[in-house]
Amino acid sequence: MADKPILYSYFRSSCSWRVRIALALKGIDYEIVPINLIKDGGQQFTEEFQTLNPMKQVPALKIDGITIGQSLAIMEYLEETRPIPRLLPQDPQKRAIVRMISDLIASGIQPLQNLSVLKQVGQENQMQWAQKVITSGFNALEKILQSTAGKYCVGDEVSMADVCLVPQVANAERFKVDLSPYPTISHINKELLALEVFQVSHPRRQPDTPAELRT
């Protein structure tokens, strides 16, 4: 029997949340090893964790005898090795759109407002900076989704794009971004949060969630 996959995760990390959603969606049983990005100066900087992921970031997934960093690479691997249920549509054009939306969020929004960047802009500028980059990305995303969305980001099947969307909306809410200009994003997010796989993977329901944030 193969060893159970191990996910190195931080409860609030949106990239870790993506992978937790994908694992839940595909029905993969796994263990979580919490990596606290704040405590002790950041546990991601320990020698032990750097051996797992030299980028010193979560998530990292140990699975099938390998360790994979980067949430999109992890999801692509899960899709290739455990294709049902799908994270990517069968139609090549829809598949390209799903990847485009996923990359827009994972490369064009989230990295610009993550912890390492916020440390560089200074405490007094963090909220304004995060709001600016998320708003810029959501302006583009809303326009795209208006032409691609059905019930979810691309049609009526949950895809990798949806897996990326929900954690990013949570980031927007945390940074007090006004979501009223984004009705498509908000509607899709509401639909997705009603699904069990998005609930069990939620930051408020993780082993390392502080007691005061649990639901």
Side-chain angles (χ1 to χ4, degrees), residues 61 91 109 115:
L61 182 68
D91 178 79
I109 304 177
L115 184 61

Side-chain angles (χ1 to χ4, degrees), residues 49-68:
F49 187 73
Q50 286 184 57
T51 303
L52 283 171
N53 187 358
M55 276 297 285
K56 298 167 277 192
Q57 296 173 338
V58 292
L61 182 68
K62 272 188 179 180
I63 188 169
D64 301 337
I66 62 171
T67 302
I68 312 169

Side-chain angles (χ1 to χ4, degrees), residues 113-132:
Q113 49 91 128
N114 72 3
L115 184 61
S116 60
V117 171
L118 291 179
K119 283 180 178 177
Q120 299 302 314
V121 302
Q123 185 76 37
E124 68 283 2
N125 300 316
Q126 289 181 1
M127 184 71 74
Q128 184 180 3
W129 172 266
Q131 289 174 346
K132 179 180 177 182

Side-chain angles (χ1 to χ4, degrees), residues 7 39 63 93 153:
L7 177 65
K39 188 179 178 183
I63 188 169
Q93 292 185 354
C153 284

Side-chain angles (χ1 to χ4, degrees), residues 33-54:
V33 173
I35 302 295
N36 193 311
L37 304 186
I38 309 295
K39 188 179 178 183
D40 304 324
Q43 294 174 347
Q44 70 274 29
F45 299 117
T46 63
E47 242 180 83
E48 182 184 3
F49 187 73
Q50 286 184 57
T51 303
L52 283 171
N53 187 358

Side-chain angles (χ1 to χ4, degrees), residues 157-177:
E157 288 187 10
V158 175
S159 70
M160 188 186 296
D162 300 294
V163 172
C164 292
L165 179 75
V166 168
Q168 189 56 53
V169 174
N171 283 346
E173 291 171 341
R174 186 154 63 95
F175 290 115
K176 298 180 169 52
V177 172

Side-chain angles (χ1 to χ4, degrees), residues 119-198:
K119 283 180 178 177
Q120 299 302 314
V121 302
Q123 185 76 37
E124 68 283 2
N125 300 316
Q126 289 181 1
M127 184 71 74
Q128 184 180 3
W129 172 266
Q131 289 174 346
K132 179 180 177 182
V133 298
I134 294 171
T135 298
S136 175
F138 275 17
N139 287 342
L141 183 59
E142 177 71 17
K143 289 177 184 175
I144 292 168
L145 292 177
Q146 284 171 0
S147 63
T148 66
K151 189 174 183 181
Y152 306 122
C153 284
V154 181
D156 297 325
E157 288 187 10
V158 175
S159 70
M160 188 186 296
D162 300 294
V163 172
C164 292
L165 179 75
V166 168
Q168 189 56 53
V169 174
N171 283 346
E173 291 171 341
R174 186 154 63 95
F175 290 115
K176 298 180 169 52
V177 172
D178 178 11
L179 294 176
S180 60
Y182 312 116
T184 312
I185 291 173
S186 298
H187 176 73
I188 295 169
N189 183 66
K190 184 178 178 182
E191 292 285 341
L192 290 165
L193 283 174
L195 302 177
E196 178 68 14
V197 294
F198 286 84

